[in-house]
Amino acid sequence: MTNTDAPLIRFRGILERRLGWTTADTEAVPILPVLAARAAAHRLSETAYLDRLVAQLWPEETALLAERLSITETYFFRHGDQFRALAERVLPERLRARAGQRVLRLLSVGCSSGEEPYSLAISALGARPGRDWIVSVVGADANPEMLRRAGRAVYSEWALRETPRDVRGRWFQQTEGGFAVDPEVVRSVQFVEHNVAEPAEPRIWQTGRYDVIFCRNLLMYLTTATVTGLIGRITDSLAPGGALFLGHTDSLGSDPRGFTVEHFGDTAFYLRDSPRAAEPTRPRAHVEARPTAAPVEIDAYAKALELLRDERFVEAFDVITTVLPRRRPRELLLHGVLLAQRGRLAEARDAARHLIDSGGTHPDAHQLLGFCHEVDEPDQAAGQYRLAAFLDPGFAMPRLRLGLLARRRNDGPTASVDLSAALELLPRETEERITLFGGGFGRLTLSSLCRTELDAATTRGGNRR
């Protein structure tokens, strides 16, 4: 071992522990010059610099090392065969699966300077059946400089070298600084700084959340332990039937646990398996019936609501259907919401009207009826939302939907009023209503959506292209 080898080997060990990176003898980005430069920048010897890295977390230096050592070369629609598989095979299936929610969620792990997540957003926005669908893309990377570039959303012509001409014309605007990504695409993408070797980031990793995850050309740089943890999070975060795309140098093997290998042309991807159905229980011995109907219904409602929160719609529907003969208002409301989630809007409207006609005030039923009318009769939808808000002034969800409808009409002033009200009310909204009417989004995400749309309505006059 030479005098040069000792700090180099030590530096590699630190990179493995802090960033989860495995480094070979011939790196694409040589690490010895980076070590020398960073030690000199802090006026330390290499040994003293490494001692400091070991002795404390030093997050700003770790982030800078990720920036210096990352391989960042990328471009839009890189590996076009995978994007063709996404557009022609995966997205049509996911649109059918999400028809009740009208939300597509996609994740780009190791997103670099943003070309990949923006490409995913463009693909999803182009595939959606209508503008009432929400496209949400998360781009995650450990390199803060790359994320800053991604946030600027302006790229050179070289970055668009594989972008089809019609896509370039629709989703990019030529400026003095290059090609700017269309604002609608930019609004669909959120960037998060995240080191995959660190504990799970709740803003990214959530059970069953994503329809599509891209994690390309990253696994080969990670240690075995980091790969194992990352694949576990990816598996948990993909919805059943969701798709995972890896780089051509990465693989989960021929029989990956939790996935089915799918082939499309010259490429392959992985589909998340659906959970196995529970084994049938053995029949129990006959026991004299007892009057326990009410507690069973309470448990059934709570269970169905929990399943809805986990986006397990079929199971939730089956559970709540068992208590419908009692026709309690909350069970009927939940049944109507689940009918709407499954695309059975006429039946959902009937459930809402039955509640309204039963007497009393039912703001939640008017909210459901408004949701059912949004696609084909937006004026009626707005009327129902206004009635829901009038009947319960503390109800945040109708004000949010009214604000979004106003944004679609390019009515900035009205959108500002309703979105501001929703933003004020959301912290006090009940978890039950967020589960019923949040479209799978939590309180923080809905608040973020409010702020984004409110900023657009106030700074741009509410106009949308």
Side-chain angles (χ1 to χ4, degrees):
M1 178 184 300
T2 68
N3 290 336
T4 301
D5 289 336
L8 179 60
I9 292 171
R10 192 179 175 200
F11 192 34
R12 285 176 177 161
I14 293 171
L15 293 177
E16 288 186 8
R17 292 191 298 275
R18 291 290 170 82
L19 296 173
W21 290 356
T22 181
T23 56
D25 290 332
T26 55
E27 292 88 3
V29 179
I31 66 174
L32 190 57
V34 174
L35 170 59
R38 295 310 304 153
H42 291 284
R43 299 181 180 179
L44 297 170
S45 68
E46 292 180 0
T47 299
Y49 173 76
L50 293 172
D51 287 343
R52 185 174 176 186
L53 275 177
V54 170
Q56 61 188 74
L57 290 176
W58 208 1
E60 64 276 10
E61 185 66 17
T62 302
L64 197 144
L65 287 173
E67 180 180 316
R68 295 289 190 271
L69 293 167
S70 296
I71 299 171
T72 59
E73 199 281 332
T74 185
Y75 48 87
F76 285 90
F77 297 97
R78 187 178 187 184
H79 302 313
D81 51 349
Q82 292 190 329
F83 279 95
R84 284 189 290 274
L86 174 70
E88 298 177 27
R89 176 77 67 80
V90 174
L91 288 180
E93 289 295 329
R94 298 313 302 161
L95 288 168
R96 283 190 283 271
R98 297 293 196 189
Q101 294 175 286
R102 291 178 280 187
V103 176
L104 285 177
R105 301 186 183 94
L106 305 91
L107 170 65
S108 169
V109 184
C111 69
S112 189
S113 48
E115 289 90 332
E116 182 175 277
Y118 287 136
S119 297
L120 291 174
I122 290 169
S123 298
L125 288 168
R128 61 182 178 170
R131 293 184 63 84
D132 59 315
W133 280 72
I134 295 174
V135 170
S136 174
V137 181
V138 175
D141 201 278
N143 187 330
E145 174 57 28
M146 289 298 104
L147 295 179
R148 284 191 287 272
R149 293 186 195 177
R152 289 194 289 269
V154 178
Y155 296 89
S156 68
E157 187 167 11
W158 182 242
L160 277 68
R161 59 188 182 272
E162 293 295 327
T163 304
R165 185 176 297 275
D166 60 329
V167 173
R168 181 186 295 202
R170 170 64 182 88
W171 298 107
F172 295 86
Q173 296 175 345
Q174 190 166 7
T175 67
E176 291 184 2
F179 289 83
V181 182
D182 185 270
E184 185 177 10
V185 177
V186 174
R187 286 195 298 270
S188 300
V189 181
Q190 174 190 8
F191 292 101
V192 179
E193 184 177 338
H194 176 54
N195 177 357
V196 295
E198 293 177 350
E201 165 59 69
R203 289 178 296 170
I204 300 173
W205 305 113
Q206 298 179 29
T207 299
R209 183 165 186 78
Y210 298 106
D211 298 285
V212 177
I213 295 179
F214 270 47
C215 181
R216 304 191 298 173
N217 304 318
L218 176 64
L219 301 184
M220 63 181 177
Y221 298 110
L222 304 178
T223 63
T224 300
T226 305
V227 169
T228 300
L230 177 58
I231 293 300
R233 291 169 189 165
I234 286 174
T235 303
D236 179 68
S237 296
L238 266 175
L244 168 62
F245 287 83
L246 298 177
H248 294 310
T249 58
D250 298 322
S251 173
L252 299 183
S254 59
D255 187 22
R257 184 176 181 181
F259 290 94
T260 300
V261 182
E262 295 287 324
H263 295 275
F264 182 90
D266 295 329
T267 194
F269 58 94
Y270 301 88
L271 282 186
R272 180 75 170 95
D273 293 338
S274 298
R276 294 181 179 178
E279 294 183 4
T281 56
R282 296 179 180 177
R284 298 180 179 178
H286 176 71
V287 179
E288 187 70 23
R290 295 180 180 179
T292 57
V296 170
E297 289 177 19
I298 293 172
D299 290 343
Y301 177 82
K303 180 62 176 176
L305 193 67
E306 179 185 356
L307 290 168
L308 172 60
R309 188 176 294 114
D310 293 339
E311 301 183 4
R312 294 160 63 183
F313 304 119
V314 174
E315 295 169 74
F317 185 82
D318 290 342
V319 169
I320 203 63
T321 300
T322 64
V323 298
L324 282 182
R326 296 283 299 177
R327 292 194 174 277
R328 292 163 59 103
R330 66 176 188 173
E331 279 88 5
L332 281 174
L333 176 69
L334 179 51
H335 184 238
V337 168
L338 290 166
L339 285 168
Q341 293 281 18
R342 302 182 76 178
R344 294 162 60 175
L345 296 180
E347 295 171 79
R349 284 194 289 264
D350 288 343
R353 291 192 183 103
H354 181 86
L355 279 170
I356 293 167
D357 294 342
S358 66
T361 59
H362 293 285
D364 297 78
H366 289 286
Q367 177 74 11
L368 172 59
L369 194 54
F371 176 82
C372 294
H373 283 302
E374 269 204 27
V375 178
D376 53 352
E377 298 174 288
D379 289 341
Q380 286 199 37
Q384 293 297 326
Y385 291 144
R386 290 191 195 97
L387 189 51
F390 172 77
L391 293 172
D392 185 351
F395 194 177
M397 305 310 291
R399 302 303 295 269
L400 172 57
R401 299 310 307 177
L402 282 167
L404 295 177
L405 283 173
R407 286 280 291 123
R408 292 178 202 167
R409 299 193 308 270
N410 296 326
D411 184 353
T414 301
S416 297
V417 171
D418 285 313
L419 290 169
S420 296
L423 196 56
E424 182 179 349
L425 293 171
L426 270 170
R428 300 187 296 276
E429 187 66 279
T430 67
E431 288 295 334
E432 185 175 12
R433 278 174 161 173
I434 286 175
T435 299
L436 289 170
F437 302 115
F441 290 113
R443 190 186 310 273
L444 291 178
T445 304
L446 291 171
S447 297
S448 177
L449 173 65
C450 261
R451 290 191 188 94
T452 300
E453 293 294 321
L454 181 59
D455 289 345
T458 54
T459 62
R460 302 170 191 171
N463 293 323
R464 280 181 163 178
R465 291 180 54 201

